[in-house]
Amino acid sequence: MALTLEVKNTEGKKVGSVDLPADIFDAQTNVPLIHQVVTAQLAAARQGTQKAKNRGETSGSGKKPFKQKGTGRARQGSIRAPLQRGGGAAHAVRPRSYFQRTPKKMIAAALRGVLSDRQRNDRIHVLDSISSAPSTKAAIAAVRQFSERKNLLVVVSRTEDLAWRSLRNADDLHLLVPDQLNAYDILKSDDIVFSESAIKDFLAGPRKVAKAVARESEVNA
């Protein structure tokens, strides 16, 4: 079973159609699963480099600030204690990793769920070509013909250099390539606009691209 989505041009006229597989765009939306995947993604984006000094790392003498008895004050053993001004922090924050292990099948299921939700609400659109010339104004007008909602996600192919250059500086939309699609960015977006090339690349699946590795002599040349 496949779903059919109209392909429109920059003038809003239908110029074709795309068949969407039901196993991706008409799947069950598992809200707890999506929440877990999105939470893990946001956690992984945290740097985890925050740090506070404990009493062993602060500067200062190890001398007792005043004698133990006879002052009427609470006993103190060091000016670096957390109770002292300029002392170390109690239970100081340490650098840590916020990574949460998320199986690839869970990530894929969450992506299918959010795509299916947007498709069932008619929030996915396909444009045959976003831009034929490097023009931000024309490109924004082309993708904005589908929706005036605030948050718009535009997906273009890696080979569409003109579309990428036209939209990369637009501050009222988010730009991705097909292999960067994720549940969080889709959830944040009210509508998704695919270029026809991008939707075909997404349906074709990821491709393995050989990475070129430069020799040390070439780098230093």
Side-chain angles (χ1 to χ4, degrees):
M1 178 182 177
L3 309 173
T4 302
L5 205 60
E6 291 184 352
V7 179
K8 296 185 178 181
N9 60 16
T10 55
E11 299 176 355
K13 297 180 181 179
K14 179 182 177 181
V15 293
S17 61
V18 175
D19 290 332
L20 304 179
D23 59 340
I24 298 178
F25 291 89
D26 195 21
Q28 180 182 1
T29 301
N30 188 333
V31 176
L33 171 65
I34 294 171
H35 177 270
Q36 182 177 347
V37 170
V38 170
T39 300
Q41 182 177 342
L42 293 177
R46 299 183 65 176
Q47 289 184 332
T49 56
Q50 72 277 35
K51 182 181 183 298
K53 292 183 178 181
N54 59 27
R55 63 186 297 168
E57 296 170 326
T58 54
S59 61
S61 170
K63 181 182 177 181
K64 193 174 176 65
F66 47 84
K67 64 181 183 178
Q68 180 86 346
K69 297 179 179 295
T71 65
R73 302 173 62 184
R75 55 191 177 186
Q76 294 292 331
S78 171
I79 61 174
R80 296 184 294 175
L83 290 176
Q84 296 292 320
R85 181 178 180 181
H91 312 292
V93 179
R94 317 303 291 181
R96 55 161 291 189
S97 171
Y98 291 92
F99 172 78
Q100 299 179 20
R101 181 182 175 275
T102 310
K104 292 181 180 179
K105 289 185 177 180
M106 289 177 59
I107 297 174
L111 180 59
R112 291 194 299 267
V114 293
L115 284 173
S116 299
D117 177 74
R118 292 295 183 263
Q119 170 58 22
R120 281 191 282 266
N121 289 280
D122 299 323
R123 299 291 183 89
I124 297 181
H125 319 279
V126 181
L127 197 60
D128 64 340
S129 178
I130 292 178
S131 180
S132 57
S135 171
T136 299
K137 182 177 180 180
I140 291 178
V143 299
R144 277 293 179 188
Q145 65 174 301
F146 299 104
S147 173
E148 292 297 330
R149 299 181 184 93
K150 180 179 179 181
N151 299 313
L152 185 66
L153 175 63
V154 180
V155 186
V156 298
S157 173
R158 288 188 179 274
T159 59
E160 295 180 286
D161 185 58
L162 287 178
W164 186 269
R165 285 190 289 164
S166 298
L167 293 175
R168 63 185 176 183
N169 291 327
D171 57 359
D172 59 343
L173 54 85
H174 190 45
L175 191 61
L176 289 178
V177 293
D179 54 8
Q180 292 177 332
L181 269 178
N182 60 87
Y184 174 68
D185 284 326
I186 294 175
L187 282 178
K188 282 187 61 179
S189 307
D190 298 314
D191 289 82
I192 309 171
V193 178
F194 284 90
S195 68
E196 188 173 9
S197 177
I199 192 71
K200 290 179 179 178
D201 288 348
F202 176 71
L203 296 177
R207 297 181 178 87
K208 293 183 178 180
V209 180
K211 294 183 179 179
V213 180
R215 297 183 179 89
E216 185 177 355
S217 59
E218 295 174 338
V219 173
N220 297 326

